[in-house]
Amino acid sequence: MPPERANGVSRRDFLGLAGAAGAALTAAACASAPATTASGETTPFDHETDVAVVGSGAAGAIAAVYAHERGAQVLVLEKGPVFGGTTAKSGGVYWIPNHPIERERGLKEPRETTLRAMCRASYPVLFDEKKPRFGLPQNEYELIETFYDRGADAVVGLEKMGALVSMPADVLVGPMPDYFEPPDAAKIVDRRYWARKPDGTFGLGDEMMRQLKSALETRKVPVLMGHRAVRMIANAKREVVGLEARRLGGAPVRIRARRGVVFASGGYTHNPELVLNFQPGPVFGGCAVPTNEGDFVAMAEAQGAKLGHMQSAWRAQIVLEQALQFSSTPDDVFMPPGDSMILVNRLGVRVVDEKANYNERTRVHYVWDPVRHEWINLLLFMIYDQRTAELYGGRFPVPAAGTSAPYVISAPTLGALGTALDTRLGQLADRTGGARLDKTFAKTLTGTVARWNQMSARGVDLDFQRGERIYDRDWHLKIWSFPNQGTKHALAQKNVTMHPLSARGPYHAIVLAAGTLDTNGGPVINRKAQVLDATGQAIPGLYGAGNCIASPTGPYYYAGGGTLGPAVTFGCIAGEGAAQESPKELA
Amino acid sequence: MSARSQLLRRASRATSACCRGTLVALHSDGADASELAPLCVGLEAELDVLAPQAARSRNPFLSSAPPDDPRWRAYGGFRWFARDDAGHPEPASFGDSLWQLEQLARELHERGAAPVYLVGYRDGATLALGAALAFPELLSGVIAIDGARPEIPGWSERHAIPADLPVEEIRAGYTDPRGAAGALREFLERRWRS
């Protein structure tokens, strides 16, 4: 037996250092401080600036660059110890419509055509092309329209300033389809861009943030690391005129922002209370950095802000056992790899096109069974055979050849796999509401696999149309699930995403649950990136961009980069807007 | 409640009956579980060699692409933790990796695979030294190749490596960790003699 430990688990020491200990602190600070303050004048400020930006991911860094470009003195606060937020660990792709490169390549899609597709994708029930604004409410339409009209300017502007050099993201494996793939799409239009490294090759999120960080350094914009914003300071006219932050050790830091404050502080994936109150069902974690605890929500509420899309998130599945140990997962399961692979729920039935895009696919976890009184798809089990293990090993979460992973459950037969899976679920039950396999699981799974094998032989998924969409095939084969060379297995012929499961074991299972890239609800902004109050009026001096605000494209994820595209665009608008505000009095 | 490590790993088992424990080999930043296999060649006769892989992909889109895949031109491999501007390990990712490693060491004790030795290269060495600070009681020796002790303000100054834990830090600037194979073997043999 291992010796006893005196001090508990080492990681807990670190989470405090990383700033996660601040949950109680935020609540106290926000609750105790009404917006208007006369004390602001009496206590000296530690820093004075024109524009304060909270958060150093893409939206924040770009807001800071643009605010500086418009002549403002700028200060950036970052809660974590590492610059770049979730962007720095992401793929760093930004989806931007109507970029000059797109036009140079001969794509002359009319503005209205793209806007129509965006509006339809974002709000399918409201959408009506005969109505003004395609049936969308004024603000929702204007945000999408602004994203279309200003996104390319934001990207080109960064390039002109030497702050971020972009290149089309299709250099890797050719053009990739958008996630909404309108039925009338004539050809694949790839609107994804990412950073170009100085040597001409492409860079991902950390290259994007390296360039933006360097741009801030060149412009001598200070970045205060380890500073968590806890309270806004407003004057008697309810204009936001500054911020109070806390440093890691708890020391308060007061910042005077003469012209405005821009929040770009990320979503609330790692705030269990907000997740409980606003998400449509359980969220076990996600790849957002652990400092994304939705700090902006309570602070903005204290200023009377209107909240929007709070139930929404950029969704992806995650490996349950990773998330149970640390909610900030190293990676999400963007697409379960493999062809001889299916996802089933605890009854043993398939419930979704396994190759559908992650944001849409993950929503299937939120199906409530009114008879059994449970989230029937709370957990989904990725079942695959040795073919997928060999041909697609190394594509997360399937381990590469010669390696094993503790979250993979293996057994010689499907029956034994069910038994082993249920045993594992028993070990996790204290954190999953007691989720176990149904007693009919083994029998039902046999039938599910038999049907899958029949359909795979014909290459047609009669149940969920797997592989019919270009997205399913292209993203499967080129990005998420590209096959290993030199195995004995040939690619599936009739439908590249479908192959029968072998009649012989071993078989493997991985437990998947609902997660996020990050949430994307929060205070609502208008087309100028100003945060709105409950009556729809802009709160003077307060701007927002990125995942901390109500997503300008609604809950819909247009394509790879559908997260960062709006962040880049509204980060630019917020930075420019705040810089051009007139200075505000403290009193 | 299970508290097993979730790290993916590569294992080679000691064949002889006289297994002297487990050597856990921690790869460098941007590499993967296979990196230190050449360093450990020959040791498998006496020890189980277990090479865990950091969970954090340097390229979240393209985990574990084959080494010759052009997709690796941008990024490759895995990392245990991020670093801040001052070069200090970022606490959340460092702490998570350290915690996973601690669970792995406990697992090895529980299944009778102790004593547990750690060898690390570069960031893997920094993690191994972090382990020597955080849970020395689970370890019987640490050899750190080209890695500095982790400096995490607020944490590292409160911990010290106990004098009875053998730790060897090699700072020879190896560009290939195989160059340290002799030193690793000598280190282990000294442990076995004592």
Side-chain angles (χ1 to χ4, degrees), chain A residues 5 9-10 13 81-82 89 91 197 202 206 213 325-326 331 394-395 403-404 406 478, chain B residues 4-5 7 9 60-61 63-64 71 74-75 84-85 90 96 99-100 102 106 134 137:
Chain A
R5 289 282 324 279
V9 177
S10 51
D13 298 355
V82 178
K89 68 180 275 202
K197 286 180 170 180
F202 65 92
D206 62 349
K213 181 164 182 276
Q325 296 196 343
F326 191 25
D331 201 351
R395 307 300 97 74
T403 62
S404 60
K478 295 179 184 173
Chain B
R4 77 171 85 197
S5 161
L7 294 170
R9 74 274 310 252
F61 278 65
S63 313
S64 280
R71 281 167 264 221
Y75 290 88
D84 68 16
D85 280 358
E90 181 262 327
D96 188 36
W99 189 84
Q100 298 290 349
E102 179 181 349
R106 287 178 178 281
E137 71 280 9

mmCIF file of all heavy atoms in Angstrom, chain A residues 5 9-10 13 81-82 89 91 197 202 206 213 325-326 331 394-395 403-404 406 478, chain B residues 4-5 7 9 60-61 63-64 71 74-75 84-85 90 96 99-100 102 106 134 137:
data_model
loop_
_atom_site.group_PDB
_atom_site.id
_atom_site.type_symbol
_atom_site.label_atom_id
_atom_site.label_comp_id
_atom_site.label_asym_id
_atom_site.label_seq_id
_atom_site.Cartn_x
_atom_site.Cartn_y
_atom_site.Cartn_z
ATOM 1 N N ARG A 5 -0.507 10.209 2.734
ATOM 2 C CA ARG A 5 -0.075 11.578 2.464
ATOM 3 C C ARG A 5 -0.615 12.493 3.537
ATOM 4 O O ARG A 5 -1.757 12.355 3.953
ATOM 5 C CB ARG A 5 -0.639 12.060 1.127
ATOM 6 C CG ARG A 5 -0.044 11.428 -0.092
ATOM 7 C CD ARG A 5 1.313 11.992 -0.477
ATOM 8 N NE ARG A 5 1.477 13.431 -0.255
ATOM 9 C CZ ARG A 5 1.032 14.346 -1.066
ATOM 10 N NH1 ARG A 5 0.390 14.042 -2.147
ATOM 11 N NH2 ARG A 5 1.242 15.615 -0.807
ATOM 12 N N VAL A 9 -4.071 16.168 -1.970
ATOM 13 C CA VAL A 9 -3.638 16.045 -3.352
ATOM 14 C C VAL A 9 -2.919 17.303 -3.815
ATOM 15 O O VAL A 9 -3.385 18.411 -3.581
ATOM 16 C CB VAL A 9 -4.866 15.762 -4.229
ATOM 17 C CG1 VAL A 9 -4.473 15.691 -5.678
ATOM 18 C CG2 VAL A 9 -5.529 14.467 -3.794
ATOM 19 N N SER A 10 -1.815 17.092 -4.466
ATOM 20 C CA SER A 10 -0.975 18.225 -4.829
ATOM 21 C C SER A 10 -1.684 19.247 -5.709
ATOM 22 O O SER A 10 -1.456 20.424 -5.599
ATOM 23 C CB SER A 10 0.268 17.716 -5.548
ATOM 24 O OG SER A 10 -0.093 16.858 -6.597
ATOM 25 N N ASP A 13 -3.281 22.462 -4.280
ATOM 26 C CA ASP A 13 -2.428 23.616 -3.970
ATOM 27 C C ASP A 13 -2.396 24.580 -5.152
ATOM 28 O O ASP A 13 -2.430 25.778 -5.007
ATOM 29 C CB ASP A 13 -0.967 23.179 -3.740
ATOM 30 C CG ASP A 13 -0.829 22.236 -2.558
ATOM 31 O OD1 ASP A 13 -1.839 22.009 -1.879
ATOM 32 O OD2 ASP A 13 0.285 21.746 -2.337
ATOM 33 N N PRO A 81 -2.068 33.270 -15.159
ATOM 34 C CA PRO A 81 -0.638 33.550 -15.245
ATOM 35 C C PRO A 81 -0.078 33.472 -16.669
ATOM 36 O O PRO A 81 1.077 33.817 -16.887
ATOM 37 C CB PRO A 81 0.002 32.470 -14.364
ATOM 38 C CG PRO A 81 -0.973 31.350 -14.364
ATOM 39 C CD PRO A 81 -2.328 31.903 -14.671
ATOM 40 N N VAL A 82 -0.880 33.009 -17.610
ATOM 41 C CA VAL A 82 -0.408 32.851 -18.986
ATOM 42 C C VAL A 82 -1.250 33.713 -19.910
ATOM 43 O O VAL A 82 -2.474 33.724 -19.817
ATOM 44 C CB VAL A 82 -0.478 31.376 -19.427
ATOM 45 C CG1 VAL A 82 -0.027 31.215 -20.874
ATOM 46 C CG2 VAL A 82 0.374 30.505 -18.517
ATOM 47 N N LYS A 89 -4.664 27.999 -26.550
ATOM 48 C CA LYS A 89 -4.610 26.545 -26.633
ATOM 49 C C LYS A 89 -5.519 25.991 -27.706
ATOM 50 O O LYS A 89 -5.699 24.786 -27.829
ATOM 51 C CB LYS A 89 -4.886 25.902 -25.256
ATOM 52 C CG LYS A 89 -6.276 26.053 -24.706
ATOM 53 C CD LYS A 89 -6.420 25.369 -23.320
ATOM 54 C CE LYS A 89 -6.737 23.879 -23.434
ATOM 55 N NZ LYS A 89 -7.372 23.328 -22.213
ATOM 56 N N GLY A 91 -7.165 25.901 -31.857
ATOM 57 C CA GLY A 91 -6.655 25.796 -33.217
ATOM 58 C C GLY A 91 -6.379 27.157 -33.839
ATOM 59 O O GLY A 91 -5.703 27.262 -34.855
ATOM 60 N N LYS A 197 2.892 32.238 -39.715
ATOM 61 C CA LYS A 197 4.154 32.419 -38.999
ATOM 62 C C LYS A 197 5.129 33.211 -39.860
ATOM 63 O O LYS A 197 4.992 33.257 -41.081
ATOM 64 C CB LYS A 197 4.766 31.049 -38.703
ATOM 65 C CG LYS A 197 4.082 30.268 -37.597
ATOM 66 C CD LYS A 197 4.813 28.948 -37.455
ATOM 67 C CE LYS A 197 4.381 28.188 -36.236
ATOM 68 N NZ LYS A 197 5.093 26.915 -36.120
ATOM 69 N N PHE A 202 1.781 27.984 -41.488
ATOM 70 C CA PHE A 202 0.634 28.405 -40.694
ATOM 71 C C PHE A 202 0.891 28.181 -39.213
ATOM 72 O O PHE A 202 1.647 27.300 -38.812
ATOM 73 C CB PHE A 202 -0.627 27.667 -41.133
ATOM 74 C CG PHE A 202 -0.587 26.175 -40.898
ATOM 75 C CD1 PHE A 202 -1.073 25.636 -39.713
ATOM 76 C CD2 PHE A 202 -0.086 25.318 -41.855
ATOM 77 C CE1 PHE A 202 -1.052 24.274 -39.493
ATOM 78 C CE2 PHE A 202 -0.054 23.949 -41.636
ATOM 79 C CZ PHE A 202 -0.528 23.430 -40.456
ATOM 80 N N ASP A 206 -1.670 29.455 -30.470
ATOM 81 C CA ASP A 206 -0.588 30.091 -29.704
ATOM 82 C C ASP A 206 0.273 30.989 -30.573
ATOM 83 O O ASP A 206 0.845 31.957 -30.085
ATOM 84 C CB ASP A 206 0.221 29.089 -28.859
ATOM 85 C CG ASP A 206 0.926 28.035 -29.665
ATOM 86 O OD1 ASP A 206 0.651 27.929 -30.866
ATOM 87 O OD2 ASP A 206 1.746 27.306 -29.073
ATOM 88 N N LYS A 213 0.451 39.409 -28.747
ATOM 89 C CA LYS A 213 1.196 39.811 -27.539
ATOM 90 C C LYS A 213 2.368 40.695 -27.931
ATOM 91 O O LYS A 213 2.628 41.734 -27.310
ATOM 92 C CB LYS A 213 1.692 38.551 -26.834
ATOM 93 C CG LYS A 213 2.455 38.807 -25.548
ATOM 94 C CD LYS A 213 2.537 37.500 -24.766
ATOM 95 C CE LYS A 213 3.252 37.682 -23.447
ATOM 96 N NZ LYS A 213 4.704 37.596 -23.611
ATOM 97 N N GLN A 325 -11.877 14.433 -13.294
ATOM 98 C CA GLN A 325 -10.677 14.723 -12.514
ATOM 99 C C GLN A 325 -10.289 16.191 -12.566
ATOM 100 O O GLN A 325 -9.681 16.710 -11.647
ATOM 101 C CB GLN A 325 -9.525 13.832 -12.989
ATOM 102 C CG GLN A 325 -9.852 12.370 -12.718
ATOM 103 C CD GLN A 325 -8.671 11.455 -12.800
ATOM 104 O OE1 GLN A 325 -7.648 11.813 -13.348
ATOM 105 N NE2 GLN A 325 -8.819 10.266 -12.277
ATOM 106 N N PHE A 326 -10.606 16.858 -13.667
ATOM 107 C CA PHE A 326 -10.268 18.274 -13.791
ATOM 108 C C PHE A 326 -11.172 18.835 -14.882
ATOM 109 O O PHE A 326 -11.077 18.409 -16.030
ATOM 110 C CB PHE A 326 -8.798 18.427 -14.168
ATOM 111 C CG PHE A 326 -8.268 19.838 -14.063
ATOM 112 C CD1 PHE A 326 -8.842 20.765 -13.209
ATOM 113 C CD2 PHE A 326 -7.179 20.234 -14.816
ATOM 114 C CE1 PHE A 326 -8.351 22.052 -13.105
ATOM 115 C CE2 PHE A 326 -6.665 21.524 -14.724
ATOM 116 C CZ PHE A 326 -7.260 22.429 -13.872
ATOM 117 N N ASP A 331 -8.306 18.377 -23.979
ATOM 118 C CA ASP A 331 -8.778 18.365 -25.353
ATOM 119 C C ASP A 331 -10.243 17.950 -25.323
ATOM 120 O O ASP A 331 -10.688 17.321 -24.369
ATOM 121 C CB ASP A 331 -7.953 17.337 -26.158
ATOM 122 C CG ASP A 331 -7.999 17.606 -27.653
ATOM 123 O OD1 ASP A 331 -8.788 18.472 -28.088
ATOM 124 O OD2 ASP A 331 -7.246 16.948 -28.386
ATOM 125 N N GLY A 394 -4.496 7.013 -32.321
ATOM 126 C CA GLY A 394 -3.727 8.254 -32.267
ATOM 127 C C GLY A 394 -4.574 9.483 -32.507
ATOM 128 O O GLY A 394 -4.150 10.588 -32.208
ATOM 129 N N ARG A 395 -5.769 9.294 -33.046
ATOM 130 C CA ARG A 395 -6.692 10.417 -33.164
ATOM 131 C C ARG A 395 -7.471 10.435 -31.860
ATOM 132 O O ARG A 395 -8.207 9.481 -31.565
ATOM 133 C CB ARG A 395 -7.660 10.241 -34.347
ATOM 134 C CG ARG A 395 -7.061 9.955 -35.711
ATOM 135 C CD ARG A 395 -6.132 11.019 -36.215
ATOM 136 N NE ARG A 395 -4.746 10.659 -35.932
ATOM 137 C CZ ARG A 395 -4.077 9.710 -36.599
ATOM 138 N NH1 ARG A 395 -4.622 9.064 -37.585
ATOM 139 N NH2 ARG A 395 -2.827 9.415 -36.280
ATOM 140 N N THR A 403 0.272 2.075 -27.285
ATOM 141 C CA THR A 403 -0.046 2.769 -26.042
ATOM 142 C C THR A 403 -1.445 2.361 -25.574
ATOM 143 O O THR A 403 -2.241 1.816 -26.341
ATOM 144 C CB THR A 403 -0.011 4.297 -26.205
ATOM 145 O OG1 THR A 403 -1.005 4.686 -27.144
ATOM 146 C CG2 THR A 403 1.340 4.765 -26.699
ATOM 147 N N SER A 404 -1.707 2.639 -24.321
ATOM 148 C CA SER A 404 -3.040 2.375 -23.786
ATOM 149 C C SER A 404 -3.453 3.585 -22.975
ATOM 150 O O SER A 404 -2.617 4.414 -22.615
ATOM 151 C CB SER A 404 -3.009 1.141 -22.883
ATOM 152 O OG SER A 404 -2.117 1.369 -21.802
ATOM 153 N N PRO A 406 -6.150 4.753 -19.683
ATOM 154 C CA PRO A 406 -7.009 4.198 -18.620
ATOM 155 C C PRO A 406 -8.499 4.378 -18.881
ATOM 156 O O PRO A 406 -9.299 3.628 -18.349
ATOM 157 C CB PRO A 406 -6.590 4.999 -17.381
ATOM 158 C CG PRO A 406 -5.273 5.592 -17.720
ATOM 159 C CD PRO A 406 -5.256 5.779 -19.192
ATOM 160 N N LYS A 478 -10.003 13.982 -43.243
ATOM 161 C CA LYS A 478 -8.850 14.868 -43.401
ATOM 162 C C LYS A 478 -8.347 15.469 -42.091
ATOM 163 O O LYS A 478 -7.192 15.858 -41.996
ATOM 164 C CB LYS A 478 -9.205 16.015 -44.359
ATOM 165 C CG LYS A 478 -9.484 15.542 -45.777
ATOM 166 C CD LYS A 478 -9.838 16.715 -46.658
ATOM 167 C CE LYS A 478 -10.217 16.260 -48.056
ATOM 168 N NZ LYS A 478 -10.729 17.391 -48.852
ATOM 169 N N ARG B 4 -7.740 7.135 -10.462
ATOM 170 C CA ARG B 4 -6.633 6.631 -11.253
ATOM 171 C C ARG B 4 -6.155 7.710 -12.224
ATOM 172 O O ARG B 4 -6.922 8.584 -12.624
ATOM 173 C CB ARG B 4 -7.047 5.380 -12.001
ATOM 174 C CG ARG B 4 -7.909 5.657 -13.216
ATOM 175 C CD ARG B 4 -8.101 4.414 -14.029
ATOM 176 N NE ARG B 4 -9.203 3.630 -13.500
ATOM 177 C CZ ARG B 4 -9.385 2.361 -13.806
ATOM 178 N NH1 ARG B 4 -8.554 1.739 -14.592
ATOM 179 N NH2 ARG B 4 -10.414 1.707 -13.328
ATOM 180 N N SER B 5 -4.912 7.639 -12.572
ATOM 181 C CA SER B 5 -4.367 8.562 -13.559
ATOM 182 C C SER B 5 -5.050 8.321 -14.896
ATOM 183 O O SER B 5 -5.321 7.181 -15.260
ATOM 184 C CB SER B 5 -2.870 8.311 -13.692
ATOM 185 O OG SER B 5 -2.411 8.852 -14.906
ATOM 186 N N LEU B 7 -3.679 9.319 -17.720
ATOM 187 C CA LEU B 7 -2.663 9.515 -18.745
ATOM 188 C C LEU B 7 -2.523 8.292 -19.648
ATOM 189 O O LEU B 7 -2.434 7.160 -19.175
ATOM 190 C CB LEU B 7 -1.306 9.802 -18.097
ATOM 191 C CG LEU B 7 -1.200 11.115 -17.335
ATOM 192 C CD1 LEU B 7 0.095 11.171 -16.553
ATOM 193 C CD2 LEU B 7 -1.310 12.296 -18.288
ATOM 194 N N ARG B 9 -0.414 5.820 -21.840
ATOM 195 C CA ARG B 9 0.952 5.395 -21.555
ATOM 196 C C ARG B 9 1.392 4.237 -22.435
ATOM 197 O O ARG B 9 0.583 3.509 -22.987
ATOM 198 C CB ARG B 9 1.106 5.050 -20.070
ATOM 199 C CG ARG B 9 0.494 3.748 -19.563
ATOM 200 C CD ARG B 9 -0.966 3.805 -19.161
ATOM 201 N NE ARG B 9 -1.379 4.855 -18.259
ATOM 202 C CZ ARG B 9 -1.720 4.668 -16.978
ATOM 203 N NH1 ARG B 9 -1.632 3.482 -16.426
ATOM 204 N NH2 ARG B 9 -2.168 5.652 -16.268
ATOM 205 N N PRO B 60 -4.245 20.886 -30.710
ATOM 206 C CA PRO B 60 -5.455 20.215 -30.257
ATOM 207 C C PRO B 60 -6.244 19.589 -31.404
ATOM 208 O O PRO B 60 -7.064 18.723 -31.184
ATOM 209 C CB PRO B 60 -6.255 21.335 -29.592
ATOM 210 C CG PRO B 60 -5.692 22.599 -30.114
ATOM 211 C CD PRO B 60 -4.264 22.323 -30.461
ATOM 212 N N PHE B 61 -5.973 20.004 -32.630
ATOM 213 C CA PHE B 61 -6.721 19.448 -33.747
ATOM 214 C C PHE B 61 -6.140 18.125 -34.210
ATOM 215 O O PHE B 61 -6.817 17.323 -34.815
ATOM 216 C CB PHE B 61 -6.708 20.418 -34.933
ATOM 217 C CG PHE B 61 -7.721 21.487 -34.805
ATOM 218 C CD1 PHE B 61 -7.640 22.412 -33.794
ATOM 219 C CD2 PHE B 61 -8.770 21.572 -35.685
ATOM 220 C CE1 PHE B 61 -8.584 23.404 -33.661
ATOM 221 C CE2 PHE B 61 -9.729 22.564 -35.562
ATOM 222 C CZ PHE B 61 -9.634 23.485 -34.553
ATOM 223 N N SER B 63 -3.989 15.513 -32.722
ATOM 224 C CA SER B 63 -3.270 14.721 -31.752
ATOM 225 C C SER B 63 -2.618 13.512 -32.408
ATOM 226 O O SER B 63 -3.234 12.825 -33.213
ATOM 227 C CB SER B 63 -4.235 14.241 -30.676
ATOM 228 O OG SER B 63 -5.036 15.292 -30.234
ATOM 229 N N SER B 64 -1.379 13.242 -32.036
ATOM 230 C CA SER B 64 -0.703 12.011 -32.434
ATOM 231 C C SER B 64 -0.664 11.745 -33.929
ATOM 232 O O SER B 64 -0.868 10.627 -34.372
ATOM 233 C CB SER B 64 -1.364 10.803 -31.768
ATOM 234 O OG SER B 64 -0.920 10.669 -30.472
ATOM 235 N N ARG B 71 1.095 17.513 -41.454
ATOM 236 C CA ARG B 71 0.304 18.296 -40.512
ATOM 237 C C ARG B 71 1.105 18.676 -39.277
ATOM 238 O O ARG B 71 0.740 19.555 -38.527
ATOM 239 C CB ARG B 71 -0.944 17.511 -40.106
ATOM 240 C CG ARG B 71 -2.022 17.582 -41.169
ATOM 241 C CD ARG B 71 -3.105 16.567 -40.904
ATOM 242 N NE ARG B 71 -2.847 15.382 -41.689
ATOM 243 C CZ ARG B 71 -3.779 14.690 -42.322
ATOM 244 N NH1 ARG B 71 -5.032 15.050 -42.251
ATOM 245 N NH2 ARG B 71 -3.478 13.635 -43.031
ATOM 246 N N ALA B 74 3.309 22.535 -38.332
ATOM 247 C CA ALA B 74 2.980 23.664 -37.453
ATOM 248 C C ALA B 74 3.369 23.351 -36.016
ATOM 249 O O ALA B 74 4.007 24.138 -35.342
ATOM 250 C CB ALA B 74 1.505 23.982 -37.533
ATOM 251 N N TYR B 75 2.991 22.195 -35.564
ATOM 252 C CA TYR B 75 3.170 21.846 -34.161
ATOM 253 C C TYR B 75 3.301 20.353 -34.079
ATOM 254 O O TYR B 75 2.982 19.635 -34.991
ATOM 255 C CB TYR B 75 1.951 22.265 -33.331
ATOM 256 C CG TYR B 75 1.846 23.725 -33.197
ATOM 257 C CD1 TYR B 75 1.178 24.462 -34.149
ATOM 258 C CD2 TYR B 75 2.472 24.377 -32.152
ATOM 259 C CE1 TYR B 75 1.110 25.831 -34.058
ATOM 260 C CE2 TYR B 75 2.411 25.739 -32.048
ATOM 261 C CZ TYR B 75 1.729 26.465 -33.005
ATOM 262 O OH TYR B 75 1.674 27.807 -32.912
ATOM 263 N N ASP B 84 4.587 30.603 -18.007
ATOM 264 C CA ASP B 84 4.266 32.027 -18.074
ATOM 265 C C ASP B 84 5.457 32.809 -18.614
ATOM 266 O O ASP B 84 6.492 32.237 -18.969
ATOM 267 C CB ASP B 84 3.775 32.537 -16.712
ATOM 268 C CG ASP B 84 4.874 32.534 -15.651
ATOM 269 O OD1 ASP B 84 6.063 32.432 -16.010
ATOM 270 O OD2 ASP B 84 4.537 32.633 -14.463
ATOM 271 N N ASP B 85 5.310 34.133 -18.668
ATOM 272 C CA ASP B 85 6.356 34.976 -19.251
ATOM 273 C C ASP B 85 7.694 34.813 -18.565
ATOM 274 O O ASP B 85 8.743 34.926 -19.184
ATOM 275 C CB ASP B 85 5.940 36.445 -19.162
ATOM 276 C CG ASP B 85 4.977 36.791 -20.264
ATOM 277 O OD1 ASP B 85 4.693 35.895 -21.082
ATOM 278 O OD2 ASP B 85 4.509 37.938 -20.301
ATOM 279 N N GLU B 90 2.974 27.115 -15.483
ATOM 280 C CA GLU B 90 1.647 27.664 -15.186
ATOM 281 C C GLU B 90 0.972 26.711 -14.203
ATOM 282 O O GLU B 90 0.918 25.499 -14.440
ATOM 283 C CB GLU B 90 0.863 27.791 -16.491
ATOM 284 C CG GLU B 90 -0.515 28.372 -16.354
ATOM 285 C CD GLU B 90 -1.589 27.313 -16.303
ATOM 286 O OE1 GLU B 90 -1.438 26.250 -16.942
ATOM 287 O OE2 GLU B 90 -2.576 27.536 -15.596
ATOM 288 N N ASP B 96 -2.169 19.836 -12.672
ATOM 289 C CA ASP B 96 -2.964 18.725 -13.192
ATOM 290 C C ASP B 96 -2.058 17.571 -13.602
ATOM 291 O O ASP B 96 -2.309 16.414 -13.265
ATOM 292 C CB ASP B 96 -3.799 19.199 -14.390
ATOM 293 C CG ASP B 96 -4.791 18.137 -14.851
ATOM 294 O OD1 ASP B 96 -5.332 17.419 -13.986
ATOM 295 O OD2 ASP B 96 -5.015 18.022 -16.066
ATOM 296 N N TRP B 99 -0.653 15.910 -10.562
ATOM 297 C CA TRP B 99 -1.691 15.120 -9.891
ATOM 298 C C TRP B 99 -1.876 13.782 -10.606
ATOM 299 O O TRP B 99 -1.978 12.732 -9.987
ATOM 300 C CB TRP B 99 -2.996 15.919 -9.883
ATOM 301 C CG TRP B 99 -4.083 15.313 -9.052
ATOM 302 C CD1 TRP B 99 -4.266 15.460 -7.715
ATOM 303 C CD2 TRP B 99 -5.131 14.461 -9.512
ATOM 304 N NE1 TRP B 99 -5.376 14.755 -7.315
ATOM 305 C CE2 TRP B 99 -5.918 14.131 -8.390
ATOM 306 C CE3 TRP B 99 -5.482 13.947 -10.755
ATOM 307 C CZ2 TRP B 99 -7.038 13.315 -8.467
ATOM 308 C CZ3 TRP B 99 -6.592 13.128 -10.850
ATOM 309 C CH2 TRP B 99 -7.360 12.819 -9.718
ATOM 310 N N GLN B 100 -1.899 13.842 -11.951
ATOM 311 C CA GLN B 100 -2.038 12.596 -12.719
ATOM 312 C C GLN B 100 -0.864 11.665 -12.428
ATOM 313 O O GLN B 100 -1.034 10.454 -12.274
ATOM 314 C CB GLN B 100 -2.099 12.898 -14.225
ATOM 315 C CG GLN B 100 -3.281 13.753 -14.669
ATOM 316 C CD GLN B 100 -4.608 13.041 -14.576
ATOM 317 O OE1 GLN B 100 -4.674 11.832 -14.366
ATOM 318 N NE2 GLN B 100 -5.694 13.794 -14.704
ATOM 319 N N GLU B 102 0.942 11.614 -9.747
ATOM 320 C CA GLU B 102 0.808 11.116 -8.378
ATOM 321 C C GLU B 102 -0.136 9.905 -8.344
ATOM 322 O O GLU B 102 0.149 8.893 -7.682
ATOM 323 C CB GLU B 102 0.273 12.228 -7.475
ATOM 324 C CG GLU B 102 0.088 11.778 -6.032
ATOM 325 C CD GLU B 102 -0.473 12.878 -5.136
ATOM 326 O OE1 GLU B 102 -0.521 14.037 -5.582
ATOM 327 O OE2 GLU B 102 -0.860 12.561 -4.006
ATOM 328 N N ARG B 106 0.740 6.065 -7.184
ATOM 329 C CA ARG B 106 -0.064 5.334 -6.190
ATOM 330 C C ARG B 106 -0.530 3.998 -6.750
ATOM 331 O O ARG B 106 -0.495 2.967 -6.077
ATOM 332 C CB ARG B 106 -1.298 6.147 -5.797
ATOM 333 C CG ARG B 106 -0.965 7.305 -4.931
ATOM 334 C CD ARG B 106 -2.169 8.146 -4.564
ATOM 335 N NE ARG B 106 -1.688 9.200 -3.694
ATOM 336 C CZ ARG B 106 -1.426 9.026 -2.413
ATOM 337 N NH1 ARG B 106 -1.663 7.862 -1.836
ATOM 338 N NH2 ARG B 106 -0.937 10.012 -1.700
ATOM 339 N N ALA B 134 6.575 17.225 -4.313
ATOM 340 C CA ALA B 134 5.171 17.091 -3.893
ATOM 341 C C ALA B 134 4.863 15.757 -3.227
ATOM 342 O O ALA B 134 4.098 15.709 -2.279
ATOM 343 C CB ALA B 134 4.250 17.296 -5.098
ATOM 344 N N GLU B 137 7.452 10.611 -0.912
ATOM 345 C CA GLU B 137 7.270 9.336 -0.224
ATOM 346 C C GLU B 137 6.855 8.219 -1.169
ATOM 347 O O GLU B 137 6.929 7.046 -0.814
ATOM 348 C CB GLU B 137 6.264 9.499 0.922
ATOM 349 C CG GLU B 137 4.812 9.700 0.497
ATOM 350 C CD GLU B 137 4.489 11.136 0.061
ATOM 351 O OE1 GLU B 137 5.431 11.949 -0.077
ATOM 352 O OE2 GLU B 137 3.299 11.428 -0.159
#
